[in-house]
Structure formats: structure tokens, C-alpha cells
């Protein structure tokens, strides 16, 4: 119904629109409308971008980058005849054009400024034209022009324009229709019809034709008019520049040509295609962190999505022969490194090469680098294959010395978050689950490295256990790297691999990010990525109070065909987690929802995940921990040591349960007393009920029985690999895998491009950067993790919490990036 409304509006407004008719006009294709626009090779909306708004202002919404076009006609059959020429410039949604014409000793310049709103599916635009020179001789008047463009899919394009002079009754309206049988730029059929009124005289005319792009950037168009006039044109693109020519044969054998030169926006061309491949290498600098999102301005940090997109674009770009990765200064967690490794592995499947430069590499970083065809190690660098370790710091003795009491409420075997405060070593259950995680991390690295470097698994064990640290020459001898050198040596390695010198290009040079969108009419379907990053909390961490609005927005948005929820969270507040989980459940009723689990998606993090259609996790993701923990901090002498005292009155037997003094510097109250046995029984019952509710929700989400989930719950953490075996995870993979599954479940064709939209929306600029630059004040970004964790637990003192231990919260920490 909306589409029909658009079309009705389009027709009605166009019929009401007006355009000035010149008294003197160039001869050619009959009707004045066509003669004025004889610079076009096809109907305005059928090929490229028309004349950047000069014919149909709405076409400016399809322009992707600034572009400039100069065209002239040889009305005297002399290519050097510039008696009629035009200059047209456009940027997205804004265009300017001028056509200058000279007849005898008279000349006129027709200017037009155009603007548009909308997108590649539906857009509308307005133009205002005025003239300079011998306007009375040519009968010029100022004019208004209105245009519409409607492309409901990749196969059909409807357009209309109308215009009227400001001081007369002259007007015209034109309708155009174009069709692409293959849904791309290869072949386009088009036709149009125009109606003109000049004073009391009414005229009409039509044209029809076809355009073919048989090679990238080489286009041929032919057009037939109702006056039996005929045109044949060709356009040739060289990338950022292009040229065109068109022959016009009029109804009385009148013949002339037009010529054009374009400069600006990058265009398809045979020099960066399968026809004439160039085979440069994409340079990827991995310095620093890899974040999930970045600010709009002054933030060039790598994001996981940007790196995935660049690798995919390089894979499909015929001008790219390989990728060179510089890992110097890299600070990335092992799960994201695994995801990127898998993408590079997929990139190599096309026969293209990967070269990685390392300087100081731990086992996780070397695991990532091992995917390369060649590894270059800095002359002063080293490789450290130290293995994997998980440990924690215990504060029981510290709290006792401070005078802080802690009562652990632990009723599930593996839920060990409170051991930090209640023990001085690991419980047997915690040791068991942690050892399983470490063994899994090691097994994954050993398998991948051994396969990539041709090292036997037993030999890998020996390298880890007996040698561990490898200086450059030793790394060469053990087959861990291929050459020693600085980053500059990578170019020599590329020459050896390719047999010739190859250049480096950045992400901005990849065809996917430069090419125009005219190959695909209509907007691409959207997949939304919603990031739930950090502890589950209402106003910090995942910021559930705001995040739920984003989930609701993508649920309502008809353009969003599927949702990917990226979860990197150790849990926290069960209410915050449940608010998002409920929104996800509602969203799933409208469109597919896929969860991509990051480094940590356990406890409250798994709560966020449980209702998805599909849960995707890396093999080394920490997930599960379906359970609840609680505890009670209380004063056990600290108040007296600080010389503080408290007093109160109360009404209600348990009114003083949380009353106490406010600890200096921490700013959070510490209760004066522990719970009574009766109060503790009540909280134990509450935790049991909370746990049962958690297990029931997971059972619903995973379509299993309560007992099946309870058997693998009890607060037990699992690696992604283990979680898949027991049914808590569906697919092993990363964010790219989740996007692919979302596309499939939304029934989007495999080769159809999609637009990725990301939530929550990031701010314009990082405030800390602004403060630092403006006032010269360094904003500290390193928090005392132990103090922050203690404050979190004190803030929720006595509350059942689906949360992980501090050190597991530290595993990913992408929320602090």
C-alpha cells in the first residue's frame, strides 16, 4: 500500500509541475524535452546518475561520492565546436549544472541548483533554474523542477520529472521506466514519454532503448525516438576518470555528436577486474586494540566488523593478491584473534596469500600469526610459547585484616564467583572447570599451529614445555617463522611469493568501499548488529535501559531482515539481563535473531543469549555458567578501626538488615551485622527460586527439559567447543559466521549484498580525547579492577546475581576498549 501511495503522489505532483520552453533550442530528437537533454545516453534513471540532478533532481540520492562531468556537442560536425556545452557537478543529495549555448552572435547559460532527499529505493528532489546572457532571444525564464525516483527492487526503476517557468504557462512532465532482467548493470531496457505545453500548443513524444555494460566500466547505449531519430553512445571508465561519445542521427538525416569527460568518483573499470587484474596487497595494521565500535570522528581504532569487512572485500576484489598483517603493538584477546584467523583462512581458500609480521609474540598471538603463508619475525623480537594459565586472587585474609566479614551463599557446585572473598584457594569444582577451559585453549592452539606449520603435535608439546622462548634464529630453525627482518622485509617476501614486486593498498582502495551503487537498484536489505557488551546492568555495562530501545527499534524496522546480537558479558544484574532477553524473544517472532558470543558470554551473558534462533560461539569462548551466586558483606571491626560509629531506630523486625556505615573513598555502605539464621533461610529460598527460573528460561530457549539443562547448569562454565557438544551452542564460529547465518535465515540470496547497521549508535567524539586535547589533561582509563568488582558486589550486596568471578570478567574486557 505504501508503494501505491508513493506512485500516486509521484504522478499527481508531476502533472502539477512546470518547465520553461526555450524559443530557440538545438535540433535533434524532436521534442524540446529530448533536445535539451541530448547529453544523456539513456533515460535519466536508466544509466548511472543522469546529469547529477539537472534532468531529475531525485537521482542525486543515488550518488555515492563527488563527481564532475563536462560534455559538449559538435553541432557543426566539428569535435572542436564548443557552441553548446555543459558542466555538471554532484555530491550526494546536492548538484549543480550549467548548459551554455551559442547561436550566431547570441548566447545563453542555463544554470540549475538541485537537492534531493531519500535513498536508493525512493527519493525526491527539487531544482531551481535560472539563466544568464541573451535570455530574451532564447525565451528563457526561471523555473522550478520536481523529480521522483522509485526503485522497489533490483529489477525495476520508475522516475518522473516536472517543471514550470516562474512567469508563464509553459510546462512539461516526463515519465520513465527501466528494467534490468538480470538485476544488475549488465543489461538495462528503458523507455520514457514526455508531455509539453508551450503556450496553447501541446506536444508529446517518447523514446526507448537499451544499455549494455559488457565489461566493467565499458557501456554501450542505443536509443530510438518517436521521430525516427536514433542515438548510439559508448562510455569508457578508467576508474576516477572516464570518457564518452554519442552519435545522434536526426529525423532529417541531421547528424551531430556529443563528447564527455568525467572526473571524480571511482567507477568500475577493466584495469581492476578479472579482465586485467593488478594484484596488490592489502596492508592491515593491527596496532593497539580491536574494539567493537568506534566514535564517528577522530577514532581510527580497528573494529572487529571493519576488519572482517576488509578481509571479505579483499577476498572478492580481483585487484588484491594478498594481505600483509603487521601485529607490532597488537593487544587483542584470544577469541577475536581466532575469529580473524578464521577469516584469513577463508581468504586463503581463494589461492591468495597472507603474510604476517610479528615482533614479540605470545602463544595466542602466534596462534593467530600461524595462519600465514609466511611469517616475518623482527631481528630483536621473540616467540613465546608459554601455554595457557587461569588463576585468581583471593581476598579472604585481606577482608579479615580490614575487619570486613563475608558470608558466601553458594548452593550450586560450580558457581564460584564468591570464592574470591570466602576462600584462600580454589575449590575442587572450580579447579575442575578451569582446568577443562585451559586444556581446551591449549588443544585448539596446538591443533591449528601444528596443521599450519607442519609441526607434529608431540613436537609442539616439546617446544612449549622444554624451550618456550625462541629468539629469531632459533625460531627459524624450529620452523616457527620463515624469515627475519623488519616490516620492510615483508615486501621482499611478497616478491618471492608472487614472482614480482607488488604494492600495498589500504582498506579505502578496495573496490567494495569505492565502487558506485548503480549496479544494484534499490537499497540493500539490512542486517542489524546489536552489541551487548560489558556486565549486565541497567545504566552501565550493557546499559539495558537504553539497549532495550535499540532492540525494539530493529524489531519494528521493516528494512532490517535479521538481527545479530553480539554478546560479550560476564553477567551481573539478572533484571538487566532479563529485560534484554525478553526483547530478544519478541524480536524473534518478527525476524531471525542470531547470537554471536565473544570472549565471555556466561551467567548473565548466557541469559542474554538463550532465546536466539541460533547461538554461535568461538571454540575458546567462555559460556554457560547457568547459575546464581550471592553473598553478604558486613562490618566485622572495620568501623571501629576507622573510629566511626552508627546508631538507628527502626520499625520492623528486619528493618536494619542493610543498615551500616558508608565506607570512606568507596562511597558504599557496609551493613553493621550479618544475617540471622532465619534471614539466611529466606535468602537461600530466594536464590533457589531464582536459579529455577533461570534454568526454566534456558530450557524454553533451547527447547530442552528442565532436567536436561539442570544437569549441565549448576553454575558450570564451558568452552564454546564443549558447549556445542552439550547443546548450549549451535555453531562454532565468530561474528562473520553469525552474519552469514542471519542472511540465510532471512532468505537473502547468497550473492545479494546486505547493509550492516549497528546499535547502539556511537557518539561523535570520545569525550576523553576532547578533554585531553583542549585542556591538556590526561584522562586515566585504567581502573582498579579489584576495587571496581568489590564496589559492584557491594552495590548488589545480598542480591542473587548471575555473574562470573573477577578474573573471568577480565578475560575479554572489550567493554573497556
Amino acid at each position: 500500500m505504501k508503494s501505491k501511495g508513493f506512485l500516486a503522489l509521484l504522478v499527481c505532483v508531476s502533472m502539477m509541475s512546470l518547465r520553461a520552453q526555450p524559443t530557440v533550442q538545438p535540433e535533434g530528437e524532436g521534442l524540446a524535452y529530448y533536445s535539451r537533454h541530448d547529453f544523456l545516453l539513456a533515460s535519466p534513471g536508466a544509466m548511472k546518475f543522469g546529469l547529477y540532478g539537472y534532468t531529475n533532481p531525485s537521482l542525486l540520492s543515488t550518488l555515492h561520492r563527488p563527481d564532475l562531468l563536462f560534455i559538449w556537442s559538435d553541432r557543426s560536425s566539428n569535435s572542436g565546436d564548443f557552441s553548446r556545452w555543459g558542466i555538471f557537478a554532484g555530491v550526494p543529495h546536492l548538484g549543480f549544472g550549467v548548459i551554455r549555448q551559442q547561436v550566431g552572435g547570441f548566447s545563453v547559460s542555463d544554470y540549475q541548483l538541485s537537492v534531493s532527499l531519500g535513498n536508493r529505493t525512493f527519493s525526491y528532489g527539487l531544482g531551481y533554474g535560472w539563466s544568464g546572457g541573451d535570455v530574451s532571444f532564447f525565451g528563457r525564464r526561471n523555473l522550478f523542477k520536481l523529480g521522483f525516483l522509485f526503485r522497489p527492487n533490483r529489477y525495476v526503476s520508475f522516475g518522473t520529472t516536472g517543471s514550470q517557468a516562474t512567469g508563464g504557462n509553459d510546462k512539461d512532465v516526463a515519465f520513465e521506466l527501466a528494467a534490468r532482467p538480470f538485476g544488475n548493470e549488465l543489461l538495462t531496457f528503458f523507455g520514457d514519454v514526455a508531455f509539453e505545453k508551450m503556450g496553447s500548443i501541446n506536444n508529446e513524444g517518447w523514446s526507448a532503448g537499451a544499455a549494455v555494460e559488457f565489461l566493467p566500466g565499458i557501456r554501450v547505449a542505443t536509443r530510438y525516438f518517436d521521430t525516427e531519430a536514433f542515438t548510439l553512445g559508448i562510455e569508457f571508465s578508467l576508474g576516477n576518470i572516464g570518457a564518452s561519445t554519442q552519435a545522434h542521427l536526426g529525423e532529417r538525416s541531421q547528424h551531430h555528436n556529443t563528447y564527455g569527460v568525467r572526473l571524480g568518483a571511482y567507477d568500475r573499470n577493466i584495469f581492476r577486474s578479472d579482465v586485467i587484474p593488478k594484484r596488490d596487497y592489502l596492508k592491515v595494521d593491527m596496532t593497539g586494540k580491536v574494539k567493537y565500535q568506534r566514535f564517528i570522528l577522530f577514532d581510527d581504532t580497528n573494529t572487529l566488523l571493519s576488519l572482517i569487512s576488509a578481509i571479505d572485500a579483499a577476498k572478492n576484489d580481483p585487484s588484491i593478491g594478498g594481505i600483509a598483517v603487521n601485529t607490532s603493538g597488537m593487544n587483542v584477546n584470544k577469541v577475536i584473534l581466532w575469529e580473524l584467523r578464521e577469516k584469513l583462512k577463508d581468504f586463503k581458500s581463494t589461492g591468495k596469500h597472507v603474510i604476517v609480521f610479528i615482533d614479540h609474540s605470545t602463544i595466542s598471538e602466534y596462534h593467530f600469526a600461524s595462519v600465514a603463508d609466511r611469517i616475518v619475525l623482527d631481528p630483536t623480537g621473540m616467540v613465546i610459547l608459554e601455554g595457557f594459565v587461569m588463576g585468581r586472587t583471593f581476598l579472604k585474609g585481606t577482608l579479615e585484616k580490614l575487619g570486613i566479614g563475608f558470608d558466601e551463599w553458594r548452593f550450586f557446585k560450580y558457581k564460584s564467583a564468591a570464592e574470591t572473598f570466602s576462600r584462600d584457594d580454589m575449590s575442587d569444582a572450580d579447579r575442575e572447570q578451569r582446568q577443562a577451559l585451559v586444556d581446551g585453549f591449549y588443544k585448539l592452539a596446538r591443533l591449528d599451529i601444528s596443521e599450519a606449520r607442519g609441526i607434529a603435535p608431540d613436537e609442539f608439546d616439546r617446544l612449549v614445555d622444554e624451550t618456550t622462548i625462541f629468539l629469531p634464529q632459533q625460531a627459524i630453525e624450529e620452523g616457527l617463522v620463515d624469515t627475519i627482518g623488519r616490516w620492510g622485509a615483508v615486501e621482499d617476501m611478497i616478491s618471492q611469493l608472487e614472482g614480482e614486486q607488488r604494492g600495498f593498498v589500504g582498506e579505502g582502495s578496495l573496490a567494495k568501499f569505492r565502487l558506485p551503487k548503480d549496479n544494484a537498484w534499490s537499497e540493500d536489505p539490512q542486517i542489524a548488529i546489536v552489541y551487548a557488551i560489558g556486565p549486565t546492568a541497567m545504566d552501565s555495562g550493557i546499559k539495558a535501559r537504553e539497549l532495550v530501545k535499540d532492540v525494539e527499534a530493529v524489531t519494528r524496522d521493516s528494512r532490517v531482515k535479521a538481527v545479530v546480537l553480539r554478546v560479550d558479558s560476564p553477567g551481573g544484574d539478572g533484571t538487566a539481563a532479563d529485560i534484554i532477553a525478553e526483547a530478544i524473544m519478541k524480536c524473534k517472532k518478527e525476524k531471525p535473531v542470531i547470537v554471536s558470543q565473544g570472549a565471555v558470554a556466561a551467567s548473565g551473558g548466557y541469559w542474554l543469549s538463550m532465546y536466539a534462533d541460533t547461538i554461535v560461539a568461538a571454540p575458546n569462548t567462555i559460556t554457560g555458567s547457568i547459575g546464581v551466586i550471592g553473598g553478604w558483606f558486613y562490618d566485622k571491626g572495620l568501623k571501629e578501626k576507622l573510629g566511626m560509629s552508627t546508631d538507628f531506630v527502626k520499625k520492623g523486625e528486619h528493618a536494619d538488615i542493610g543498615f551500616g556505615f558508608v565506607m570512606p573513598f568507596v562511597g558504599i555502605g557496609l551493613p553493621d551485622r550479618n544475617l540471622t539464621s532465619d534471614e539466611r533461610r529466606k535468602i537461600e529460598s530466594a536464590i533457589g527460586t531464582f536459579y529455577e527460573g533461570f534454568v526454566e528460561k534456558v530450557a524454553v530457549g533451547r527447547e530442552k527439559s528442565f532436567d536436561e539443562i539442570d544437569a549441565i547448569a549448576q553454575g558450570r562454565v564451558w568452552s564454546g567447543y564443549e558447549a556445542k557438544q552439550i547443546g548450549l551452542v549451535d555453531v562454532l564460529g565468530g561474528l562473520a559466521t553469525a552474519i552469514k547465518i542471519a542472511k540465510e535465515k532471512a532468505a537473502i540470496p547468497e550473492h545479494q549484498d546486505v547493509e550492516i547497521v549497528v546499535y547502539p549508535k556511537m557518539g561523535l567524539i570520545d569525550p576523553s580525547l576532547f578533554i585531553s586535547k583542549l585542556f591538556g589533561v590526561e584522562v586515566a582509563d585504567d581502573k582498579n579492577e579489584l576495587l571496581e568488582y568489590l564496589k559492584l558486589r557491594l552495590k548488589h550486596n545480598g542480591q542473587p546475581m548471575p555473574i562470573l568471578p573477577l578474573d573471568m570478567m577480565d578475560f575479554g574486557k572489550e567493554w573497556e576498549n
Side-chain angles (χ1 to χ4, degrees):
M1 292 301 295
K2 290 183 179 180
S3 298
K4 291 180 180 179
F6 280 142
L7 288 174
L9 177 64
L10 180 151
V11 173
C12 291
V13 175
S14 298
M15 293 300 292
M16 296 169 58
S17 302
L18 313 163
R19 173 50 156 119
Q21 284 296 325
T23 302
V24 178
Q25 63 189 43
E27 298 181 0
E29 289 74 39
L31 203 66
Y33 171 84
Y34 296 114
S35 296
R36 284 197 313 274
H37 300 151
D38 69 333
F39 289 148
L40 290 169
L41 273 70
S43 298
M47 182 175 172
K48 299 297 289 180
F49 312 105
L51 296 177
Y52 307 113
Y54 199 88
T55 51
N56 186 343
S58 64
L59 282 166
L60 289 166
S61 294
T62 68
L63 188 62
H64 65 302
R65 290 188 179 183
D67 215 5
L68 179 68
L69 177 64
F70 175 67
I71 303 183
W72 72 98
S73 296
D74 64 347
R75 292 287 172 171
S76 62
S77 298
N78 177 3
S79 61
D81 178 8
F82 289 94
S83 60
R84 186 166 185 271
W85 54 264
I87 294 179
F88 309 93
V91 298
H93 305 288
L94 179 65
F96 175 78
V98 56
I99 295 179
R100 180 173 175 82
Q101 182 179 346
Q102 184 173 349
V103 177
F106 299 92
S107 64
V108 67
S109 297
D110 298 319
Y111 305 93
Q112 184 173 303
L113 181 66
S114 305
V115 295
S116 74
L117 292 173
N119 53 40
R120 290 187 290 132
T121 296
F122 178 76
S123 62
Y124 54 96
L126 178 66
Y128 177 72
W130 69 97
S131 301
D134 299 308
V135 294
S136 59
F137 175 79
F138 287 89
R140 294 296 198 263
R141 298 184 184 94
N142 295 352
L143 60 92
F144 287 98
K145 181 178 290 187
L146 190 62
F148 291 87
L149 185 70
F150 179 50
R151 290 171 169 172
N153 52 50
R154 300 167 65 92
Y155 302 95
V156 180
S157 174
F158 302 95
T160 185
T161 56
S163 48
Q164 177 175 352
T166 56
N169 195 33
D170 298 342
K171 56 187 174 183
D172 66 31
V173 62
F175 300 92
E176 58 171 298
L177 171 66
R180 287 178 167 177
F182 305 114
N184 57 31
E185 75 282 7
L186 181 63
L187 175 62
T188 305
F189 296 107
F190 59 86
D192 50 58
V193 58
F195 302 91
E196 296 181 343
K197 182 176 182 181
M198 181 177 174
S200 61
I201 301 174
N202 295 319
N203 296 306
E204 61 183 58
W206 59 266
S207 77
V212 179
E213 186 169 339
F214 57 93
L215 287 174
I218 301 179
R219 307 171 184 100
V220 176
T222 183
R223 193 177 187 187
Y224 179 80
F225 298 84
D226 64 319
T227 60
E228 298 185 0
F230 177 80
T231 65
L232 178 64
I234 184 169
E235 184 175 270
F236 186 83
S237 174
L238 299 174
N240 294 104
I241 61 174
S244 63
T245 183
Q246 183 175 206
H248 304 248
L249 184 62
E251 64 271 26
R252 295 185 297 274
S253 298
Q254 297 169 338
H255 179 269
H256 72 277
N257 299 308
T258 56
Y259 309 91
V261 177
R262 184 191 63 83
L263 175 66
Y266 188 78
D267 192 10
R268 294 180 293 275
N269 63 92
I270 62 172
F271 298 102
R272 297 202 71 171
S273 68
D274 290 316
V275 181
I276 309 177
K278 191 177 178 183
R279 299 293 187 182
D280 286 327
Y281 266 61
L282 174 67
K283 177 183 176 182
V284 177
D285 189 348
M286 295 281 289
T287 302
K289 296 179 178 179
V290 173
K291 301 194 297 186
Y292 282 128
Q293 293 179 274
R294 58 186 169 206
F295 293 94
I296 297 172
L297 298 177
F298 310 115
D299 188 356
D300 58 357
T301 311
N302 286 320
T303 67
L304 177 58
L305 182 60
S306 69
L307 290 171
I308 288 172
S309 299
I311 295 170
D312 268 336
K315 173 187 174 182
N316 299 315
D317 193 329
S319 70
I320 298 297
I323 295 178
V325 183
N326 186 349
T327 68
S328 181
M330 181 173 70
N331 179 21
V332 184
N333 73 57
K334 61 174 67 67
V335 170
I336 286 181
L337 286 176
W338 180 84
E339 292 187 54
L340 294 174
R341 188 184 192 279
E342 289 296 294
K343 289 305 298 180
L344 290 174
K345 188 176 178 181
D346 176 62
F347 173 84
K348 288 175 59 180
S349 68
T350 62
K352 299 181 179 183
H353 297 125
V354 173
I355 296 179
V356 174
F357 171 79
I358 59 177
D359 47 20
H360 298 84
S361 180
T362 63
I363 190 169
S364 294
E365 292 158 347
Y366 182 77
H367 181 198
F368 166 75
S370 67
V371 73
D373 295 281
R374 299 288 188 275
I375 299 176
V376 179
L377 175 62
D378 188 90
T380 60
M382 65 177 64
V383 175
I384 304 175
L385 301 181
E386 75 279 24
F388 296 92
V389 65
M390 289 186 73
R392 61 194 304 184
T393 300
F394 298 91
L395 302 179
K396 177 183 177 181
T398 305
L399 296 180
E400 289 176 351
K401 289 181 180 294
L402 290 173
I404 298 175
F406 179 73
D407 183 15
E408 180 185 18
W409 304 337
R410 177 178 179 175
F411 309 110
F412 309 103
K413 180 178 179 181
Y414 295 100
K415 199 65 181 175
S416 62
E419 287 187 8
T420 299
F421 310 108
S422 64
R423 297 178 60 94
D424 50 23
D425 62 356
M426 292 182 193
S427 65
D428 291 340
D430 192 37
R431 187 177 300 278
E432 175 191 343
Q433 62 183 348
R434 287 170 179 271
Q435 188 62 58
L437 289 174
V438 168
D439 290 345
F441 299 159
Y442 184 86
K443 181 179 179 180
L444 177 65
R446 180 175 65 170
L447 177 65
D448 287 345
I449 293 172
S450 296
E451 180 181 332
R453 299 300 299 180
I455 301 173
D458 290 344
E459 176 63 12
F460 179 82
D461 293 338
R462 184 191 67 80
L463 295 176
V464 171
D465 294 336
E466 297 182 12
T467 309
T468 309
I469 299 174
F470 303 85
L471 295 177
Q473 190 56 45
Q474 193 173 10
I476 286 278
E477 294 170 358
E478 297 289 0
L480 296 176
V481 302
D482 299 288
T483 192
I484 300 171
R486 293 274 151 84
W487 171 249
V490 171
E491 294 187 32
D492 296 331
M493 185 63 71
I494 292 173
S495 299
Q496 293 176 22
L497 269 176
E498 303 292 346
E500 60 180 319
Q501 192 72 30
R502 297 289 170 86
F504 282 144
V505 297
E507 177 183 328
S509 296
L510 296 173
K512 178 180 179 180
F513 306 127
R514 300 180 67 194
L515 287 175
K517 298 294 186 179
D518 65 302
N519 63 317
W521 287 341
S522 188
E523 291 290 313
D524 296 324
Q526 292 181 345
I527 291 177
I529 298 178
V530 180
Y531 290 108
I533 311 301
T536 53
M538 296 300 294
D539 301 302
S540 59
I542 67 169
K543 298 181 180 178
R545 205 181 307 276
E546 295 300 320
L547 188 64
V548 69
K549 298 176 185 177
D550 292 325
V551 176
E552 291 168 349
V554 299
T555 303
R556 293 190 303 266
D557 193 337
S558 60
R559 281 193 59 199
V560 174
K561 306 304 180 185
V563 176
V564 173
L565 179 70
R566 175 70 174 202
V567 177
D568 210 326
S569 172
D573 181 0
T575 300
D578 198 51
I579 286 173
I580 302 304
E582 282 191 358
I584 291 297
M585 177 182 280
K586 293 176 182 178
C587 183
K588 190 174 73 168
K589 295 177 181 178
E590 303 296 329
K591 57 196 67 178
V593 178
I594 314 300
V595 160
S596 167
Q597 296 187 333
V600 180
S603 201
Y606 192 83
W607 198 315
L608 295 170
S609 309
M610 61 190 179
Y611 290 138
D613 291 288
T614 305
I615 298 178
V616 180
N620 48 356
T621 293
I622 295 179
T623 188
S625 191
I626 301 165
V628 188
I629 193 73
W632 186 254
F633 292 91
Y634 61 96
D635 176 49
K636 201 175 180 180
L638 176 61
K639 182 173 61 176
E640 289 74 16
K641 291 180 181 179
L642 295 175
M644 302 175 70
S645 63
T646 58
D647 200 357
F648 62 88
V649 296
K650 71 175 184 175
K651 177 63 176 176
E653 182 66 26
H654 307 286
D656 65 328
I657 192 170
F659 177 80
F661 74 102
V662 176
M663 291 185 288
F665 309 113
V666 177
I668 296 178
L670 187 67
D672 278 350
R673 67 173 179 85
N674 196 359
L675 271 62
T676 65
S677 58
D678 180 56
E679 290 168 338
R680 200 176 192 281
R681 280 193 299 271
K682 288 182 171 63
I683 197 66
E684 181 177 350
S685 175
I687 289 176
T689 301
F690 197 113
Y691 172 77
E692 290 176 2
F694 191 177
V695 172
E696 287 173 356
K697 290 173 184 288
V698 174
V700 170
R702 300 305 296 164
E703 297 181 349
K704 294 179 179 294
S705 69
F706 180 95
D707 291 340
E708 286 178 303
I709 297 300
D710 183 48
I712 55 177
Q714 297 293 317
R716 171 72 186 260
V717 292
W718 305 93
S719 69
Y721 178 81
E722 294 170 320
K724 183 177 184 300
Q725 293 179 316
I726 61 176
L728 291 180
V729 164
D730 300 298
V731 178
L732 293 180
L735 182 61
T737 308
I739 294 171
K740 181 180 179 181
I741 294 171
K743 189 174 177 181
E744 293 171 353
K745 286 188 173 291
I748 300 172
E750 181 181 356
H751 298 294
Q752 163 78 57
D753 288 336
V754 295
E755 179 186 355
I756 302 295
V757 291
V758 174
Y759 296 87
K761 298 299 183 183
M762 290 293 285
L764 189 66
I765 187 172
D766 183 353
S768 65
L769 176 65
F770 176 77
I771 295 172
S772 175
K773 296 292 185 183
L774 188 61
F775 300 106
V777 178
E778 291 297 328
V779 179
D781 59 358
D782 292 328
K783 297 179 180 179
N784 186 310
E785 298 167 5
L786 187 57
L787 179 60
E788 292 298 315
Y789 185 67
L790 182 60
K791 289 169 67 176
L792 175 67
R793 296 304 304 269
L794 285 168
K795 181 179 180 181
H796 297 276
N797 197 20
Q799 298 179 19
M801 297 187 73
I803 193 170
L804 289 178
L806 172 62
D807 63 291
M808 289 189 185
M809 292 180 68
D810 187 55
F811 185 77
K813 288 186 62 183
E814 294 311 311
W815 51 88
E816 291 189 5
N817 284 349

